[in-house]
């Protein structure tokens, strides 16, 4: 009489041999878009008159900002 372990071990070995050692990773999901690098500098400006009173009503066109001697655009 053969023991059940002697009969089941070869069967388990055959089943495991047919399985891959590691599962394959899922395919990568395609992504869309692009990276954009944006540099924003906030410059807070407070304008006062000779008496120290705040000047109001100024617009961005009333100012000029330069960087390395070159004028840069203002957005706000």
């Amino acid at each position: 009489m053969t023991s059940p372990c002697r009969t089941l071990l070869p069967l388990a070995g055959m089943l495991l041999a047919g399985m891959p050692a590691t599962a394959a990773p899922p395919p990568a999901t395609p992504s869309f878009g692009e990276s954009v690098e944006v540099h924003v500098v906030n410059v807070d400006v407070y304008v006062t008159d000779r008496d120290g009173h705040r000047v109001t009503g100024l617009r961005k066109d009333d100012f000029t900002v330069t960087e390395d001697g070159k004028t840069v655009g203002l957005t706000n």
Side-chain angles (χ1 to χ4, degrees), residues 5-65:
C5 284
R6 290 181 115 188
T7 307
L8 292 177
L9 280 177
L11 179 60
M14 286 189 298
L15 290 174
L16 290 175
M19 299 179 76
T22 59
T29 304
S31 64
F32 299 95
E34 74 183 62
S35 294
V36 178
E37 190 171 322
V38 178
H39 296 279
V40 176
V41 177
N42 292 320
V43 180
D44 293 323
V45 177
Y46 300 98
V47 180
T48 58
D49 63 12
R50 292 181 188 208
D51 297 325
H53 298 105
R54 217 169 186 179
V55 177
T56 60
L58 298 173
R59 307 180 132 267
K60 69 178 182 177
D61 297 332
D62 296 318
F63 298 92
T64 303
V65 176

